[in-house]
Amino acid sequence: MSDLVSPEFLVPPSGLILLSVVAAWLALWHPRLGVALGIIATSLLALAAMPVVAAHMLEDVEIKPAASPDFSAAQAIVVLGGGVRRGDGGKVPDTLGPWSL
């Protein structure tokens, strides 16, 4: 239940979807307010779904790599997906495959 009330739940798009549901529920008792809130919520949801706005929102949360990383202390280069030769778990250890070497 604590995950449902977390602040991350209120960011787009889940916060705007929740606001649309609240607007539909509110429209039963206060039609003007509910419809106005529904129009605002769905308009903001459509705006957040546009590629230009979505890309800008992603830029705000992405981690940028360092402009000039210092590799002077590096001791190895890791090749993901290069392959591993599996050992038997006892006498023969796991070794790198030919693509990794």
Side-chain angles (χ1 to χ4, degrees), residues 1-19:
M1 185 67 182
S2 65
D3 292 336
L4 184 65
V5 189
S6 68
E8 292 85 15
F9 185 73
L10 299 177
V11 297
S14 57
L16 295 172
I17 294 171
L18 178 66
L19 189 61

Side-chain angles (χ1 to χ4, degrees), residues 5-100:
V5 189
S6 68
E8 292 85 15
F9 185 73
L10 299 177
V11 297
S14 57
L16 295 172
I17 294 171
L18 178 66
L19 189 61
S20 297
V21 170
V22 168
W25 181 76
L26 189 61
L28 297 174
W29 288 276
H30 303 285
R32 281 187 170 179
L33 181 62
V35 170
L37 191 61
I39 289 172
I40 291 170
T42 53
S43 298
L44 289 174
L45 186 60
L47 185 70
M50 290 183 179
V52 173
V53 177
H56 182 65
M57 287 193 297
L58 279 175
E59 279 181 8
D60 291 342
V61 295
E62 286 179 340
I63 299 172
K64 306 280 190 284
S68 58
D70 181 27
F71 294 124
S72 63
Q75 297 179 0
I77 297 173
V78 178
V79 180
L80 298 177
V84 173
R85 292 181 186 159
R86 299 280 179 199
D88 64 359
K91 294 181 182 180
V92 180
D94 294 342
T95 58
L96 295 176
W99 288 99
S100 296

